[in-house]
Amino acid sequence: MKIRFDRPVSTAARLSRRCGIFSGLLTVAALLGHRLAGLSAPNMAILLVTAVVAAGLTLVLATAGLRSLWVTGARGGIDCLVALVFAVPALVCGSFVAERYILFPKLYDVSTDISSAPEWLVTPAADQGWLPARKPVTAQDRELQTEAYPELTGRRYDGAIDRVLDAVKKVARLQGIHIVKSQGDAAPADDTPRAPMRPKQNGEAVPDAPELVAVPTPRPFDDDVAQLIRRADGVVLQGEARSLVLGLRFDVVIRLHEEAETTLVDIRVASRYGPHDLGFSKTIAEDYLKALDAELLGIAGS
């Protein structure tokens, strides 16, 4: 008499596969939607939270499926493996955010000048959605920043402000900071489109030619641009930046002030959403200042 053995099928393994695929696809869709399709940060966050919960459930179901495979020989080992592979993006993303939330202080705004932070030219405003309301930055927040990031300080460079300003704008462009507004800057921002010249018409010598043409001259300058900058109290540039991994949006303001033949440079970075910047504001500020030091190597003062 022939005996046929039918292996049982693990329901937990099948459910883990479906849950894992859902978690992985939702994670990818949330990240790509936020970076490429204009999905707001609060909406991305709720999708990522859902994906992480689904990934956690995937782990539980896959563990149960593997246990059934070991104890009773139930089918479902491949399903568990597929589920765990698809759950990896959500688990990595959730672990990354949780780690930074714990390790970094609960700040959303950092500045190299804690006593007189650079003022916004246009106060950042964004719909926080379901995220907790943000409180105004207080003196206690600045003290917490000093304790957490004692190395985050401004820079002093030898040389006139117009000389440093060129490097400041160049480094901002290279670091992915898009300048949207400026004050005290006589020259247009690097990202400002230039108006095209009108074609020459018959009988017209040089149409729309400027009355004054800037000619490079040895320092010290004594042209209209230099006089305008020297009369101003300083130069302030406001821009926008995004984090590399999650594409989170940050507002940036850079302030230049000329003092005793040197130029002071301060930077302020604030996350646009949420009461916690996960430490990205400090990273953006430090990366910018290090790049600026390298650009102005040789004229940096103490």
Side-chain angles (χ1 to χ4, degrees), residues 255-266:
R255 182 182 65 194
L256 296 84
H257 179 70
E258 196 168 31
E259 181 179 287
E261 298 183 354
T262 63
T263 299
L264 304 178
V265 179
D266 285 293

Side-chain angles (χ1 to χ4, degrees), residues 99-294:
E99 179 187 19
R100 296 187 73 93
Y101 190 90
I102 295 172
L103 293 180
F104 290 92
K106 190 177 181 180
L107 298 171
Y108 70 88
D109 186 315
V110 300
S111 172
T112 55
D113 188 345
I114 61 173
S115 60
S116 179
E119 296 292 337
W120 303 106
L121 298 179
V122 178
T123 303
D127 183 9
Q128 300 297 312
W130 64 276
L131 297 175
R134 305 198 304 184
K135 299 179 180 179
V137 180
T138 63
Q140 289 74 18
D141 293 329
R142 295 305 185 198
E143 292 177 2
L144 179 60
Q145 176 199 315
T146 303
E147 296 175 1
Y149 313 134
E151 71 283 358
L152 187 60
T153 58
R155 297 291 194 269
R156 181 189 296 270
Y157 301 101
D158 294 328
I161 191 172
D162 51 340
R163 182 181 181 187
V164 178
L165 178 60
D166 291 337
V168 165
K169 293 163 67 176
K170 176 182 177 182
V171 173
R173 183 176 65 255
L174 295 176
Q175 290 292 310
I177 300 176
H178 176 66
I179 303 300
V180 296
K181 192 173 181 61
S182 62
Q183 176 179 291
D185 180 11
D190 294 339
D191 299 323
T192 303
R194 304 299 202 276
M197 292 288 290
R198 182 163 59 86
K200 179 179 178 180
Q201 304 294 332
N202 294 333
E204 186 176 1
V206 183
D208 297 340
E211 296 181 359
L212 298 177
V213 179
V215 178
T217 57
R219 296 185 63 84
F221 294 115
D222 194 24
D223 56 10
D224 295 338
V225 173
Q227 292 178 11
L228 177 61
I229 293 178
R230 293 191 183 103
R231 286 197 300 268
D233 187 39
V235 177
V236 179
L237 306 175
Q238 182 168 332
E240 302 172 349
R242 304 190 73 175
S243 63
L244 179 62
V245 178
L246 299 178
L248 301 175
R249 296 182 181 275
F250 291 81
D251 294 288
V252 182
V253 60
I254 305 169
R255 182 182 65 194
L256 296 84
H257 179 70
E258 196 168 31
E259 181 179 287
E261 298 183 354
T262 63
T263 299
L264 304 178
V265 179
D266 285 293
I267 184 172
R268 178 182 181 183
V269 184
S271 64
R272 189 169 296 180
Y273 296 94
H276 200 308
D277 63 6
L278 304 178
F280 287 120
S281 296
K282 173 247 189 185
T283 301
I284 293 174
E286 280 191 340
D287 289 347
Y288 177 82
L289 292 173
K290 289 178 181 178
L292 185 60
D293 288 341

